[in-house]
Amino acid sequence: MLNIGGLNQGIVIDHIEAGGAMNIYSYLNLEKLDCSVAIIKNAKSNKMGKKDIIKIEGTLDIELDILGVLDRNITVNIIDDGMIKEKRNLKLPEKVTNIIKCKNPRCITSIERDLPHSFRLTDREKGVYRCIYCEQAFKRI
Amino acid sequence: MKHLISPLDLTVSELKEILDLAGEIIQNPKKYATVCQGKKLATLFYEPSTRTRLSFEAAMLNLGGSILGFSSADSSSASKGESVADTIRVISSYADICAMRHPKEGAPLVASSYSSIPVINAGDGGHNHPTQTLTDLLTIQTLKGKLNNLTIGFCGDLKFGRTVHSLINALVRYENMNFMLISPEELKIPAYLREEVLDANKIPYQEVKLLEQVMPSLDLLYMTRVQRERFFNEEDYIRLKDSFILDAKKMEFAKEDMLVLHPLPRVNEIATEVDSDPRAVYFKQAEYGVYVRMALIMKLLEVA
């Protein structure tokens, strides 16, 4: 088992679907952070078989629920003083704008300039988001 | 009600109002011959569609209004790269109402958010075609006398056929409907319609590959064309285009009062020998399209 040091203060993004960590890394623009960031790929998981984990030393100024749009199984642990202060299951937002992009080549978003990419949650149980313009479902990772 | 983008923008009672008004127009068209005098309809057709465009134009002319517009993206500023948002901002000051056909899905929704005049979706890619749905509903109501307790077969391209998607969305709101979905494997109805519309509304349906298999049970058969323009691969189109051809022999299996609908244009999915069968009502259906668009224009312009 690969050993990554614990955090004193920060965020652990856990239960990322194996192979999805870089997508989350890129979405959160973590390359721009000065603090330590650890990406653990293909970690053993009793629940998932394999999973990815991201550990971030420090705070992030974003609405973390948005991560659920990218991967609905993600859990977030807020670490303070070396302890898990909060274990958070993400609540899928009803609507997201300019977080994910519609990949339907027939969608108006593929040609119209400056059009926000907006999706609405159409099935909370399955975590399905559909483009408000063409209704194409967003396919994760 | 200001815009009509999706068939679901209209409640069942609003649909009824439009269909009832269309019925009144059929009975007494002269009564409505001047209700839109001084009003202008812009037909913004980024994709050729002679039938739908002329149907809208005939509807406005029948109401005493006038028309302006373009019939392909090549003959509009879209060819110079103008956005839908900018086009509709300008057109809003030229016309009182507009009908938009666009190859990209969601374009009329974009237009509606920048428009100060009512926008009617006249078809957006493979997505929605609500005025065709109104046409279909008026045809069914007028010729069947009801919009419930029907077994309807949808045949052909159920994947890209926006008329089918829109009509199913509208019909699931009526009582005791039963659907037979007849298509090749590659052109089956999209999963979201199956799961979020049919399953979610507990609508009974069967997916089959042979028209003959379900023909005797149908009250209505809604035929569709396999559309060349929706395929990225010509080979797939050629392989699938003749999957279902309705001919006189197949009609022998149908009920005596079964009706055949088709949004038109027809290519070869209905043999011309079927045209003389009294159950073939697709040309009547096209005629009803004008009446229902007249009713819609009147409702959106609030002159009815």
Side-chain angles (χ1 to χ4, degrees):
Chain A
M1 174 80 180
L2 185 65
N3 193 16
I4 304 285
L7 298 176
N8 187 40
Q9 186 184 35
I11 295 166
V12 176
I13 304 172
D14 199 358
H15 300 112
I16 302 169
E17 190 177 316
M22 287 310 291
N23 202 24
I24 306 288
Y25 180 90
S26 161
Y27 165 68
L28 293 176
N29 291 319
L30 295 181
E31 74 277 7
K32 291 183 182 161
L33 291 182
D34 280 338
C35 60
S36 304
V37 176
I39 295 177
I40 304 163
K41 295 186 71 176
N42 299 321
K44 274 190 186 167
S45 163
N46 292 336
K47 195 164 73 175
M48 303 168 71
K50 283 195 297 184
K51 65 178 180 180
D52 289 359
I53 305 167
I54 299 176
K55 293 185 176 187
I56 304 159
E57 182 86 50
T59 55
L60 278 181
D61 188 23
I62 67 153
E63 179 54 65
L64 289 167
D65 279 339
I66 295 294
L67 290 174
V69 178
L70 301 171
D71 183 341
R72 59 195 295 255
N73 296 314
I74 282 178
T75 53
V76 174
N77 296 327
I78 311 292
I79 312 292
D80 194 14
D81 216 7
M83 307 284 285
I84 296 178
K85 183 184 157 196
E86 188 187 346
K87 220 173 176 52
R88 196 188 293 175
N89 286 311
L90 305 176
K91 185 173 181 293
L92 297 179
E94 287 294 332
K95 191 174 175 188
V96 290
T97 300
N98 289 334
I99 302 294
I100 49 181
K101 286 195 179 295
C102 184
K103 292 174 184 160
N104 177 8
R106 296 181 183 85
C107 181
I108 186 65
T109 53
S110 67
I111 59 161
E112 184 84 354
R113 291 184 303 278
D114 304 326
L115 190 62
H117 283 241
S118 287
F119 286 73
R120 63 169 168 258
L121 183 63
T122 58
D123 187 333
R124 181 169 289 281
E125 202 176 311
K126 292 181 182 162
V128 179
Y129 279 88
R130 294 196 179 281
C131 172
I132 64 162
Y133 304 103
C134 69
E135 294 181 77
Q136 180 102 335
F138 169 68
K139 286 195 175 64
R140 294 180 175 80
I141 306 177
Chain B
M1 183 195 347
K2 193 173 179 193
H3 309 288
L4 178 62
I5 307 302
S6 152
L8 299 179
D9 291 344
L10 297 167
T11 63
V12 171
S13 70
E14 285 169 335
L15 272 174
K16 184 176 184 308
E17 279 180 32
I18 290 171
L19 299 181
D20 288 349
L21 179 56
E24 284 178 36
I25 296 168
I26 293 170
Q27 296 301 317
N28 189 4
K30 281 186 185 166
K31 182 180 165 190
Y32 301 93
T34 57
V35 293
C36 284
Q37 215 159 34
K39 304 279 188 190
K40 291 190 282 287
L41 166 76
T43 49
L44 314 178
F45 276 57
Y46 292 81
E47 185 181 65
S49 168
T50 313
R51 195 174 329 272
T52 304
R53 183 171 57 85
L54 294 185
S55 175
F56 270 108
E57 294 182 356
M60 192 52 160
L61 294 172
N62 287 348
L63 295 168
S66 43
I67 52 171
L68 68 163
F70 53 84
S71 57
S72 76
D74 294 344
S75 59
S76 81
S77 285
S79 63
K80 301 176 197 166
E82 187 181 45
S83 66
V84 168
D86 284 358
T87 302
I88 198 67
R89 282 184 179 116
V90 174
I91 299 297
S92 290
S93 61
Y94 294 170
D96 301 284
I97 186 167
C98 82
M100 175 182 281
R101 159 71 58 96
H102 202 289
K104 294 291 183 184
E105 298 169 3
L109 179 63
V110 174
S112 70
S113 57
Y114 291 93
S115 177
S116 56
I117 59 173
V119 174
I120 302 171
N121 180 0
D124 59 336
H127 185 214
N128 270 321
H129 194 354
T131 60
Q132 180 63 49
T133 304
L134 292 176
T135 302
D136 300 337
L137 293 177
L138 180 64
T139 307
I140 298 169
Q141 177 162 291
T142 308
L143 301 180
K144 275 285 175 194
K146 61 183 181 179
L147 284 168
N148 52 18
N149 300 312
L150 293 166
T151 297
I152 304 181
F154 291 92
C155 180
D157 175 5
L158 309 188
K159 182 178 181 183
F160 298 116
R162 61 188 166 205
T163 58
V164 171
H165 304 169
S166 288
L167 185 55
I168 287 177
N169 262 307
L171 287 173
V172 295
R173 300 189 290 180
Y174 296 94
E175 282 177 5
N176 199 19
M177 304 302 267
N178 187 13
F179 298 142
M180 301 292 174
L181 307 173
I182 310 138
S183 70
E185 187 65 28
E186 296 91 331
L187 296 177
K188 277 169 77 172
I189 204 161
Y192 80 90
L193 268 176
R194 201 179 306 120
E195 292 162 15
E196 294 177 19
V197 179
L198 295 174
D199 293 342
N201 287 287
K202 298 187 171 65
I203 302 294
Y205 68 93
Q206 283 180 47
E207 292 186 290
V208 298
K209 291 176 186 163
L210 280 177
L211 182 53
E212 295 88 329
Q213 202 177 327
V214 293
M215 198 72 163
S217 67
L218 302 180
D219 298 309
L220 292 161
L221 173 59
Y222 196 92
M223 292 295 294
T224 63
R225 175 173 62 99
V226 176
Q227 303 167 90
R228 181 192 291 263
E229 61 272 30
R230 305 288 169 232
F231 284 85
F232 291 128
N233 183 341
E234 181 76 3
E235 277 176 25
D236 287 344
Y237 167 71
I238 290 169
R239 184 167 52 83
L240 296 171
K241 71 184 174 71
D242 295 332
S243 295
F244 300 102
I245 297 175
L246 180 66
D247 54 21
K249 195 163 172 39
K250 289 197 183 88
M251 286 296 284
E252 286 174 13
F253 294 101
K255 288 182 191 173
E256 277 181 22
D257 63 347
M258 192 270 277
L259 297 179
V260 182
L261 281 74
H262 189 302
L264 302 179
R266 172 240 329 245
V267 183
N268 59 351
E269 61 278 8
I270 302 179
T272 52
E273 64 191 18
V274 178
D275 297 353
S276 56
D277 190 312
R279 295 170 291 185
V281 296
Y282 28 88
F283 293 115
K284 193 77 184 162
Q285 186 184 353
E287 182 190 330
Y288 287 145
V290 176
Y291 298 123
V292 87
R293 288 181 176 101
M294 289 169 73
L296 176 65
I297 290 169
M298 286 166 66
K299 286 286 181 191
L300 291 178
L301 286 176
E302 298 178 357
V303 295

